Amino acid sequence: MNLYERIPNNVNLSEDKRLQRALEKWLPNFLSWWHDMGPEGFQEKDVWLRTAIDVGSEGWAHFDYVKMPDYRWGIFLEPAEPDAKVGFGDNYGAPAYQEVPGEFRNALRRIIVTQGDTEPASVEQQRRLGATCPSLYDLRNLFQVNVEEGRHLWAMVYLLHAYFGRDGRDEADALLERRSGNPDKPRILEAFNQPCDDWLNFYAFTMFTDRDGKYQLSALAESGFEPLARTCRFMLTEEAHHMFVGDTGLSRVVKRTAQLMKENEDVREVGGIPLEIIQKYINFWFSYSLDLFGGEISSNSADFFAAGLKGRFKEQEQYTDHVATEGSFTMQVVENGKLVPREVPLRNALNEVLRGEYVKDCEKGLARWNKALADEGRSERLSLPNIRFHRHVGEYAGHYFDTEGKLISPEEFEAKKSVWLPTIEDREYVRSLMKPVTEVGKIANWIAPPTSGIKGKPFEFEYVRL
Ligand code: BYC
């Protein structure tokens, strides 16, 4: 561990002067991007943050007050495995790639750039949320997520600089040039161009969109390109907290709504967020996050797998056939205005296989929120919409489905849209509740406090010194 270098790292950066210089040149551009596009208004405040200082599962992080621009963004890879092998695909069993194989160079760069692009995008999406935080605890969690997304950008930029020469450096620069939601230079994937401008959006985003991150990173943690696999394994350690923030955040909103419903069935009257609005936010972010897995039938996914670049979720643990040339996968597709089953060679269906794992994981979140409702004595339940609902990528894009997955006409969809997806009025109502609460130990009326604080600290702790 070289923690005290300008760029903390465990990749012996000081021994590769060219790479070190290139990254040190990128550093001020990153800081300038952080200054312009990072959390607005709190840059000079002390925030009680964890900083990665090691890659071991024990004691990998240090907690202390830090001003965000002084955060030690570093490059950390999990230790190399001796004799690592390509774990799947056409080169199954061959020595893992320590350098980029020429024939896979474009595919690999594209995967790394796409992954890298999401990280600064999410910081941009969330940059104004600090001004309306429901508590200091939540404010700190927002900033923790933001600085770590910044570190995840560093992780991908390191790979681009270290392994892709000049085009890698150009791609690293471009990662700081695209902007979430900017029509002229948008972020690559659509979910990262959607506004995330209130805290209900933030929790739904960290629940559903960060969870896509978990599955994509897990698939890349299996990669035969070892530097990528080792990088992603460590990123997953940090990612867990981001999903925790979303999952528990939504759970706390649901709980508070249920409590307020005891006072008044119309929770708007008592400043709560109605369950219907929560359901619409779930529908919105779940469907956009499903798009992030790519098309149901994808030759890209087959190529990535064949090349040994991107595996399945828990490829080594869950599967015995790592070549996957034999099997097939049956999915529903639209043909002549009807949903019909189609059998697809397994390798071409791997986006859908990964998406299926993701959906199972999301369902667990729903079960937790529904338990929160049951615990408060309510009979209402929240649910995930069908995977075909409101899709913009893949087989179901361009068709219309209800939340149960039934094929409907564009007119039927239009007529029900305001029941299924947040309307401008819903968003305005949610925004009207977003008044900052920054007194130690206090919390906004529309959300319940967490059951415990961070790293043994109580909820009543000065997580951000204002
Ligand atoms: N939006 O074969 P297809 C995270 C494009 S999140 C716009 O169907 P493929 C995080 C695609 O590029 C995880 N375009 O899909 C979370 C292709 O374009 P071309 C991010 C899309 O390539 C929260 C065409 O459609 N990591 O970490 O198999 C906060 C057909 O593509 C979209 C990764 O994504 C979309 N949603 O799979 C912070 C991992 N989807 O070639 C961070 C790396 C597809 O026709 N990326 N397209 O021009 C990948 O593995 C793949 O690129 C994808 C797409 C899974 C995204």
Side-chain angles (χ1 to χ4, degrees):
M1 282 289 156
N2 300 314
L3 287 179
Y4 303 102
E5 290 181 17
R6 218 168 146 212
I7 303 168
N9 69 90
N10 70 347
V11 293
N12 285 332
L13 201 52
S14 56
E15 283 170 24
D16 185 340
K17 290 292 174 211
R18 244 184 88 209
L19 177 60
Q20 188 178 29
R21 267 198 304 276
L23 287 169
E24 285 183 355
K25 224 171 118 193
W26 191 79
L27 173 65
N29 298 340
F30 169 79
L31 287 174
S32 147
W33 167 82
W34 179 268
H35 180 266
D36 294 346
M37 297 312 295
E40 200 175 83
F42 295 85
Q43 299 286 349
E44 290 312 310
K45 305 296 178 196
D46 286 318
V47 187
W48 199 68
L49 292 175
R50 77 176 179 193
T51 304
I53 50 163
D54 198 353
V55 291
S57 52
E58 291 296 312
W60 62 273
H62 174 72
F63 286 74
D64 207 345
Y65 286 104
V66 184
K67 290 187 185 24
M68 283 184 277
D70 301 336
Y71 187 80
R72 306 284 286 150
W73 285 285
I75 299 164
F76 299 112
L77 274 64
E78 290 274 333
E81 277 172 28
D83 285 335
K85 300 270 191 287
V86 178
F88 55 89
D90 293 346
N91 296 332
Y92 175 55
Y97 321 130
Q98 300 301 335
E99 292 295 330
V100 179
E103 66 273 39
F104 308 144
R105 188 182 164 86
N106 286 347
L108 197 49
R109 190 184 59 209
R110 182 191 146 130
I111 290 175
I112 293 170
V113 166
T114 309
Q115 178 64 50
D117 191 68
T118 62
E119 316 290 0
S122 68
V123 175
E124 292 166 3
Q125 284 169 292
Q126 297 164 13
R127 67 187 293 254
R128 297 213 168 87
L129 287 171
T132 55
C133 66
S135 72
L136 286 184
Y137 163 92
D138 290 282
L139 186 62
R140 177 253 169 225
N141 283 348
L142 167 71
F143 295 154
Q144 184 71 63
V145 168
N146 291 163
V147 290
E148 284 174 352
E149 301 302 6
R151 207 200 66 72
H152 292 179
L153 170 61
W154 270 97
M156 293 300 123
V157 164
Y158 162 71
L159 294 175
L160 289 169
H161 272 261
Y163 295 95
F164 291 89
R166 201 204 153 96
D167 17 322
R169 290 195 292 279
D170 290 346
E171 292 284 12
D173 291 344
L175 287 171
L176 296 177
E177 284 157 14
R178 285 185 287 271
R179 290 284 179 274
S180 173
N182 183 319
D184 299 327
K185 41 177 186 174
R187 292 294 174 183
I188 297 170
L189 302 173
E190 254 331 288
F192 295 90
N193 288 309
Q194 299 299 321
C196 184
D197 49 5
D198 66 56
W199 282 76
L200 190 58
N201 272 323
F202 174 64
Y203 298 131
F205 182 93
T206 39
M207 167 71 194
F208 292 113
T209 309
D210 277 83
R211 196 169 303 275
D212 166 57
K214 168 182 165 184
Y215 283 85
Q216 298 298 339
L217 290 173
S218 298
L220 298 176
E222 302 284 340
S223 183
F225 179 50
E226 250 238 315
L228 175 63
R230 291 167 54 203
T231 305
C232 291
R233 278 180 220 142
F234 186 58
M235 289 163 75
L236 280 164
T237 315
E238 290 164 316
E239 198 66 37
H241 177 67
H242 306 186
M243 288 176 291
F244 164 87
V245 168
D247 190 347
T248 55
L250 273 167
S251 195
R252 289 159 53 209
V253 177
V254 170
K255 178 175 175 182
R256 183 65 185 145
T257 295
Q259 288 169 348
L260 288 168
M261 285 168 93
K262 289 179 202 161
E263 287 174 34
N264 191 327
E265 281 291 315
D266 181 3
V267 285
R268 285 170 190 257
E269 294 293 321
V270 280
I273 304 183
L275 288 176
E276 309 83 77
I277 294 189
I278 299 174
Q279 180 65 60
K280 291 187 206 182
Y281 274 60
I282 293 172
N283 295 348
F284 180 89
W285 283 107
F286 179 64
S287 55
Y288 265 113
S289 303
L290 290 175
D291 281 341
L292 292 173
F293 289 81
E296 282 68 18
I297 305 170
S298 163
S299 57
N300 286 342
S301 79
D303 293 345
F304 295 162
F305 187 86
L309 302 181
K310 185 176 175 190
R312 287 167 289 187
F313 182 62
K314 299 196 173 160
E315 177 73 41
Q316 299 312 316
E317 260 175 80
Q318 284 207 97
Y319 298 93
T320 47
D321 168 17
H322 298 295
V323 181
T325 39
E326 305 281 298
S328 63
F329 188 97
T330 303
M331 60 179 78
Q332 298 288 317
V333 298
V334 183
E335 253 176 42
N336 303 321
K338 279 208 183 74
L339 268 176
V340 293
R342 182 183 300 165
E343 197 171 305
V344 178
L346 184 54
R347 281 187 177 187
N348 291 70
L350 292 181
N351 286 345
E352 186 60 7
V353 171
L354 194 60
R355 189 166 17 236
E357 296 280 359
Y358 166 83
V359 172
K360 279 194 278 178
D361 202 11
C362 291
E363 275 163 359
K364 291 185 200 155
L366 266 290
R368 283 188 286 273
W369 309 335
N370 283 332
K371 181 167 181 307
L373 283 173
D375 288 347
E376 295 295 332
R378 302 298 312 185
S379 59
E380 296 87 346
R381 294 294 176 261
L382 296 161
S383 59
L384 291 176
N386 184 275
I387 53 167
R388 294 188 282 276
F389 171 75
H390 190 234
R391 292 287 304 280
H392 300 83
V393 170
E395 289 299 309
Y396 310 120
H399 302 286
Y400 296 88
F401 296 89
D402 67 11
T403 50
E404 303 294 315
K406 192 170 134 250
L407 194 58
I408 55 175
S409 67
E411 295 74 27
E412 283 173 281
F413 184 85
E414 206 45 48
K416 293 294 284 290
K417 204 172 146 188
S418 63
V419 179
W420 291 329
L421 293 166
T423 60
I424 292 176
E425 293 74 31
D426 294 331
R427 290 179 187 279
E428 276 172 359
Y429 175 69
V430 172
R431 256 204 301 271
S432 76
L433 299 178
M434 302 288 132
K435 304 269 175 358
V437 177
T438 53
E439 231 177 291
V440 176
K442 291 276 158 48
I443 184 125
N445 176 54
W446 53 268
I447 184 168
T451 45
S452 56
I454 297 290
K455 189 77 180 165
K457 300 283 183 209
F459 171 66
E460 302 80 7
F461 176 71
E462 195 175 15
Y463 287 103
V464 184
R465 289 184 180 143
L466 295 176

